[in-house]
Amino acid sequence: MRKQIAAGNWKMNLLADEAYALARRIEKYAITNTIGTGREIILAPPAPYLETIADIMHFSPQISVAAQNCSEHLSGAYTGEVSAGMLKSIGVKYVIIGHSERRQYHGEDHSTLRKKVERVIKNEMRPIFCCGEPEEIRRKAEHKAYVSNQLEESLLCFTADEVRTCVIAYEPVWAIGTGQTATSKQAQEMHHFIRSLIAEHYSEDVADDISILYGGSCNPGNAQELFSNKDVDGGLIGGASLKADQFIEIIQALT
Ligand code: PGA
């Protein structure tokens, strides 16, 4: 059965002391409160803090650490890059792949993202695969075709067993960091569409197993309503994950 997940994407924020303090607050919350086996907290700090935060979380099975990116290459002369194998070796469990900021500012295309997904799966970590349409596509009512193409090109080419290991995050680009959240109805409609697409490609079983997170200006004020939808299995949270109190309220909104 799929899990309900609150994942914090810290992006390029926080200095080391701030990052470790935030991680410790979340860890303390998880120790003193019952999270429940059907729920999971994921923290995606900037790369330099991954190993320390993975160590902090070592005894908290309900908190996993995610990297925000990895290289599509195996190893070698790729200055500045971090391989999936390196992430695995320091205790990282998930890797965010295909965030719209990586697609937009780093030119990551479908084929690069497919290779990254493959590296993550081969290293026995789990991709958090992001998809979502820009505003002009939504205005033209082409969002379903757009998202289905993103998924088909980079994710739905893997086997059923491989896809089962993935988490999908639906993040409409117009909602990311803008304060303009998708309505509960818009989120449910897209999540249901994504789940149907997986069922069509594989089976209902596989589709039922995959957590589909909503991302884009999710906050303590709207999390409960968004998460109450049948096909919304939690959120990928940017801004609101940088404040412990807000992120904890979002964790509490998981169904
Ligand atoms: P936001 O970011 O919550 O700040 O909109 C979400 C994301 O980019 O993952």
Side-chain angles (χ1 to χ4, degrees), residues 9 11 99-101 171 175-179 215-218 236-240:
N9 175 11
K11 307 191 182 184
H99 192 282
S100 65
E101 289 150 16
E171 300 203 305
I176 296 177
T178 59
S217 298
C218 185
L236 179 55
I237 321 296

Side-chain angles (χ1 to χ4, degrees), residues 84-255:
M86 293 170 187
L87 296 172
K88 171 76 178 174
S89 73
I90 56 167
V92 168
K93 296 278 178 350
Y94 290 87
V95 184
I96 299 175
I97 301 289
H99 192 282
S100 65
E101 289 150 16
R102 303 259 357 141
R103 292 178 192 259
Q104 190 182 342
Y105 307 136
H106 302 273
E108 296 190 357
D109 60 11
H110 297 314
S111 121
T112 305
L113 297 176
R114 187 165 60 235
K115 287 181 203 148
K116 291 188 180 208
V117 170
E118 188 175 358
R119 293 279 173 230
V120 173
I121 294 174
K122 287 258 148 63
N123 279 282
E124 294 172 342
M125 296 181 292
R126 305 179 61 180
I128 301 175
F129 185 82
C130 302
C131 57
E133 78 287 355
E135 192 167 18
E136 64 273 19
I137 298 290
R138 166 68 62 166
R139 246 189 270 116
K140 288 192 270 177
E142 289 170 0
H143 44 289
K144 286 188 179 164
Y146 188 92
V147 166
S148 115
N149 185 50
Q150 286 180 319
L151 292 167
E152 269 157 20
E153 291 291 330
S154 307
L155 193 69
L156 302 181
C157 39
F158 291 91
T159 67
D161 283 345
E162 288 168 335
V163 163
R164 258 184 221 274
T165 68
C166 300
V167 169
I168 293 175
Y170 168 63
E171 300 203 305
V173 180
W174 44 271
I176 296 177
T178 59
Q180 193 194 335
T181 321
T183 63
S184 178
K185 193 165 163 249
Q186 285 171 326
Q188 168 56 25
E189 187 194 22
M190 283 308 285
H191 283 230
H192 177 70
F193 170 72
I194 292 167
R195 204 176 301 286
S196 314
L197 205 64
I198 301 165
E200 239 170 66
H201 271 261
Y202 303 98
S203 68
E204 294 281 345
D205 250 27
V206 175
D208 272 349
D209 261 5
I210 296 183
S211 301
I212 307 177
L213 314 184
Y214 169 79
S217 298
C218 185
N219 60 48
N222 57 32
Q224 201 158 16
E225 193 186 341
L226 285 162
F227 300 171
S228 67
N229 288 296
K230 186 168 154 284
D231 290 297
V232 179
D233 308 310
L236 179 55
I237 321 296
S241 72
L242 297 171
K243 302 259 183 323
D245 293 343
Q246 292 193 14
F247 190 55
I248 287 168
E249 273 192 66
I250 294 172
I251 295 168
Q252 288 166 336
L254 292 174
T255 54

